[in-house]
Amino acid sequence: MGLGKTLTSIALILLDKQLGFTKKSTVSPSLRDASGTLVVCPASLVHHWKKEIDKRVKPLKITVCLYHGPTREKSADRLARYDVVLTTYSIVEREAKDLVDSSSLKKKKSDAWLTTKGPPPATDRCKRRDSPLCQVHWRRIILDEAHTIKNPKCMTSMAACCLEAESRWALTGTPIQNNTKDLYAIIKFLRCSPFDEFKVWTKWVDDKSTRGTARMNTIVRSLLLRRTKQQHLTCLPTRDSVIHNISLCNNEKEVYDLLQLYSKNMLKTYLDNKGEETRNRGIASQSYAARDDKQDTLSGKKFIFGKELHEFLDMIGILKQDINAGTILLLVLRLRQCCSHLSLLLQVPDDTECKANGIDISLEDQMMNMSIVDSSSTEDHWSPSEFKESFVSSKIHCLLQELHKLKHLSSDRKPIKSVIVSQWTRMLDVIAYHLRKHGLKYDFITGSVSLKKRSEIVEEFNSNPYGVQIMLVSLKAGGVGLNLIGGSHLFLIDQHWNPALEAQASDRIYRVGQKNDVVIHRFLCVDTIEEKIAALQEKKKALADSVLKGSKDAAKSLTLQDLRMLFGV
């Protein structure tokens, strides 16, 4: 990340226009032939691409169209005349939906034809191309932050694959985030036959065998142009990483231990119901005895914070009902939030947050077994001070200490700016409360901030040394594409399953243009689930390195065994 993929792509577009090109493929008569490049990127980067083109290219050398918003171009003929068309993944997903649906229908009819020996109806062989984007055969398609399509079954990925072009590029600093299926989605978009067929990929490449790994390394070497800062940017300042090992305070520890014990019991029951304990431990009675012993320990605890246990469990919304996968994953989420600030336990996780944490089942099903108290009605419930944003959690205390150190080290000539990253916007709100209390100025970059306002905030942060000194950034909204070189210290407040997201966030400040030494601060609560997450992160990093660097060592994806490790079962 931060090595100039955008600038390199602009240079390619300029050179292509200067030299001219001849299309090798035959363009369908139903499509408009175009010599332009379609750039698909996250919404937060559309204006960044436009700004880079305006900054690097002389006026009128390249014609650019922002295909975004309700007033975007409706004519495919006019769209095909531009040199560069900038759009977002959400626009592509929305406009190519009919094309994806008709393609899926055609595949089903073709499969049926193979079975029945009869040809599919003519209407099913025709794909709908109502969108201007889908009516153009592009010279080139560039997917920026291409890991956005990592799930090959999601609509965004399928829509991007349906677009037609002479050549295709996928730009990303983190092509593998969770497992090798992420890489397959990019292979599918690039149309690298025959490996863009999932059955071929799983049988001959991603089959966990030694030969399959060798094939995958060969494919990657053939397609991937990988550049690292160590190889090409020796002029960059140094980057240090500091891990702050934090111990929870007594009250936080009491809540965490209770949640961990409850979660462990739930996981054991879930595994027993699936028959996993019987198969893996051999003697079912031992697993049940161990579980019952723990449950007796939990039921023997009568009070917490001077209140009855059932009252506390009711406040944070844990109801002992039927167990399913959603319940287990939500409990994992609650344990992670407990390490940051107890007030997060009172918030109902939204659908986006659930998906970000690997919870794929519907939110309605997830909440069947966990009813979280709405924060707006907590006045009617018992709520100790530890569950209010005014409470100084262990992580907040450590963060404030570090920020005050930086404030004392700053000078009028060289102020030190910081970027604080959390995956929960509610956590950013809590941090903002304490920054205000200590007289520290800050600004926000979250999904609720408009793209135009976001660009203005970033520009002010990078260019004005005497402006806002602290930037609060959500991992989802600010984890990719943003250039925050005005900051030299970045604080990762919480642990995320995906180490690639943390790597993306860290490189918001460590990139081309950074002139100060950079320090990445990671907060890790000892003797908690965060230590286990750090271990899983290392496994995922090893998996990515094994593919991208051609190593034969492979790492597994998240399994039930990983869940056992998280809870110590």
Side-chain angles (χ1 to χ4, degrees):
M1 289 73 71
L3 282 175
K5 294 186 291 293
T6 302
L7 182 58
T8 305
S9 301
I10 295 172
L12 174 64
I13 294 169
L14 277 171
L15 181 63
D16 200 39
K17 184 175 182 181
Q18 178 183 348
L19 298 178
F21 71 94
T22 302
K23 285 199 171 182
K24 299 178 182 179
S25 59
T26 303
V27 180
S28 170
S30 62
L31 299 178
R32 279 74 167 175
D33 193 8
S35 59
T37 297
L38 174 66
V39 178
V40 185
C41 60
S44 58
L45 300 184
V46 171
H47 293 283
H48 169 72
W49 270 86
K50 180 66 165 61
K51 187 180 296 184
E52 282 295 305
I53 293 175
D54 293 341
K55 180 180 178 181
R56 308 290 183 178
V57 182
K58 292 180 180 180
L60 304 180
K61 283 285 186 179
I62 291 182
T63 56
V64 181
C65 173
L66 281 178
Y67 192 77
H68 187 260
T71 59
R72 59 183 179 270
E73 180 63 64
K74 303 298 183 182
S75 170
D77 290 327
R78 286 195 293 268
L79 206 60
R81 297 171 190 164
Y82 287 97
D83 295 317
V84 179
V85 176
L86 304 175
T87 191
T88 67
Y89 284 101
S90 58
I91 293 292
V92 170
E93 177 183 343
R94 188 180 308 124
E95 297 202 354
K97 185 178 185 302
D98 290 338
L99 189 60
V100 172
D101 291 342
S102 62
S103 297
S104 301
L105 181 61
K106 179 183 177 182
K107 186 178 186 306
K108 291 180 181 179
K109 294 295 182 180
S110 298
D111 293 342
W113 171 66
L114 292 175
T115 303
T116 62
K117 307 295 184 181
T123 53
D124 292 334
R125 295 196 298 267
C126 299
K127 297 183 180 180
R128 294 181 57 186
R129 295 185 177 272
D130 298 332
S131 164
L133 289 180
C134 300
Q135 294 174 15
V136 177
H137 189 281
W138 302 95
R139 162 69 182 97
R140 180 186 298 106
I141 295 178
I142 296 177
L143 295 189
D144 193 13
E145 306 298 346
H147 53 267
T148 304
I149 67 167
K150 64 181 182 292
N151 182 358
K153 294 184 179 181
C154 74
M155 182 60 69
T156 302
S157 180
M158 292 188 290
C161 292
C162 282
L163 297 174
E164 297 294 337
E166 178 74 14
S167 59
R168 295 160 178 263
W169 290 80
L171 311 182
T172 174
T174 51
I176 297 177
Q177 299 204 343
N178 292 301
N179 51 55
T180 50
K181 187 183 289 186
D182 301 345
L183 186 61
Y184 165 73
I186 295 178
I187 298 293
K188 181 181 178 182
F189 164 76
L190 296 176
R191 296 188 179 179
C192 299
S193 180
F195 303 108
D196 55 348
E197 289 290 338
F198 188 67
K199 290 182 179 180
V200 176
W201 175 265
T202 54
K203 181 178 180 179
W204 296 101
V205 180
D206 195 12
D207 61 349
K208 311 303 180 185
S209 68
T210 303
R211 290 187 176 183
T213 301
R215 292 189 189 99
M216 185 179 299
N217 291 334
T218 301
I219 294 170
V220 169
R221 286 197 301 270
S222 303
L223 300 175
L224 182 69
L225 175 61
R226 186 171 190 253
R227 290 169 171 164
T228 65
K229 293 182 175 69
Q230 291 78 8
Q231 293 171 333
H232 297 279
L233 285 183
T234 56
C235 60
L236 268 183
T238 61
R239 177 172 72 171
D240 294 324
S241 181
V242 178
I243 297 178
H244 298 274
N245 292 313
I246 300 172
S247 297
L248 297 176
C249 69
N250 291 335
N251 288 343
E252 289 175 308
K253 186 66 173 173
E254 188 173 4
V255 175
Y256 181 87
D257 288 344
L258 178 66
L259 280 176
Q260 184 186 41
L261 183 57
Y262 183 87
S263 302
K264 183 183 293 187
N265 290 335
M266 296 283 274
L267 177 61
K268 285 185 176 182
T269 304
Y270 174 72
L271 293 175
D272 284 346
N273 292 341
K274 291 178 67 67
E276 289 292 326
E277 292 288 352
T278 303
R279 287 193 293 269
N280 289 283
R281 297 197 178 191
I283 303 176
S285 59
Q286 291 182 3
S287 65
Y288 280 99
R291 187 187 68 209
D292 291 339
D293 177 64
K294 291 296 184 180
Q295 288 175 339
D296 289 340
T297 303
L298 180 65
S299 61
K301 188 174 182 59
K302 300 297 184 182
F303 300 96
I304 181 170
F305 295 167
K307 295 291 183 178
E308 291 188 5
L309 180 61
H310 74 86
E311 195 173 1
F312 166 75
L313 293 175
D314 181 62
M315 183 197 71
I316 64 175
I318 295 181
L319 303 178
K320 199 169 184 181
Q321 297 181 6
D322 294 336
I323 306 171
N324 57 33
T327 304
I328 302 299
L329 293 175
L330 278 173
L331 283 168
V332 173
L333 173 63
R334 292 309 185 191
L335 283 171
R336 294 164 58 205
Q337 290 177 329
C338 190
C339 295
S340 294
H341 200 277
L342 296 182
S343 66
L344 301 180
L345 298 177
L346 301 181
Q347 302 298 310
V348 178
D350 58 26
D351 188 52
T352 301
E353 185 177 23
C354 289
K355 289 180 179 178
N357 287 279
I359 306 173
D360 295 328
I361 57 178
S362 68
L363 185 61
E364 180 181 359
D365 291 338
Q366 296 158 24
M367 304 314 294
M368 287 284 289
N369 301 324
M370 296 187 72
S371 176
I372 310 301
V373 177
D374 188 352
S375 60
S376 63
S377 62
T378 53
E379 296 299 327
D380 299 329
H381 294 264
W382 168 68
S383 181
S385 59
E386 287 83 359
F387 288 82
K388 298 178 181 178
E389 68 176 8
S390 57
F391 171 65
V392 181
S393 68
S394 300
K395 282 190 177 181
I396 295 289
H397 177 71
C398 182
L399 174 64
L400 292 174
Q401 281 187 325
E402 294 300 318
L403 291 176
H404 280 301
K405 288 180 184 178
L406 297 180
K407 187 176 181 180
H408 291 310
L409 292 174
S410 298
S411 63
D412 294 335
R413 295 180 56 187
K414 192 176 181 181
I416 299 177
K417 293 189 175 186
S418 304
V419 178
I420 301 174
V421 180
S422 175
Q423 58 191 292
W424 299 301
T425 55
R426 172 58 184 163
M427 186 62 188
L428 295 178
D429 293 334
V430 173
I431 294 173
Y433 171 87
H434 291 278
L435 294 181
R436 290 194 301 270
K437 193 174 180 180
H438 285 258
L440 300 173
K441 296 182 179 180
Y442 62 89
D443 213 332
F444 274 102
I445 297 180
T446 64
S448 60
V449 179
S450 68
L451 299 182
K452 182 179 180 181
K453 180 65 175 176
R454 195 179 304 183
S455 179
E456 295 172 354
I457 292 173
V458 170
E459 184 68 26
E460 171 70 12
F461 183 74
N462 291 335
S463 60
N464 184 2
Y466 307 106
V468 170
Q469 302 297 301
I470 301 173
M471 185 68 68
L472 301 176
V473 179
S474 67
L475 188 64
K476 183 176 178 60
V480 293
L482 283 182
N483 186 340
L484 296 172
I485 56 174
S488 57
H489 285 254
L490 185 137
F491 296 88
L492 290 168
I493 300 298
D494 32 63
Q495 299 281 318
H496 195 278
W497 299 110
N498 191 342
L501 289 182
E502 292 189 0
Q504 288 274 6
S506 299
D507 280 357
R508 296 313 98 205
I509 66 172
Y510 191 63
R511 58 197 298 114
V512 173
Q514 179 60 264
K515 299 179 180 179
N516 301 314
D517 291 339
V518 167
V519 180
I520 308 298
H521 302 260
R522 287 181 169 84
F523 290 177
L524 180 66
C525 289
V526 297
D527 298 325
T528 69
I529 195 173
E530 289 194 331
E531 289 187 327
K532 310 293 180 62
I533 293 175
L536 287 177
Q537 284 183 338
E538 292 302 317
K539 291 174 63 176
K540 290 190 176 184
K541 289 178 183 177
L543 172 63
D545 289 342
S546 69
V547 176
L548 300 180
K549 294 182 180 180
S551 169
K552 294 184 179 180
D553 296 330
K556 299 177 182 178
S557 58
L558 187 63
T559 62
L560 279 175
Q561 187 61 37
D562 294 330
L563 285 173
R564 290 193 182 92
M565 184 267 288
L566 287 174
F567 291 113
V569 174

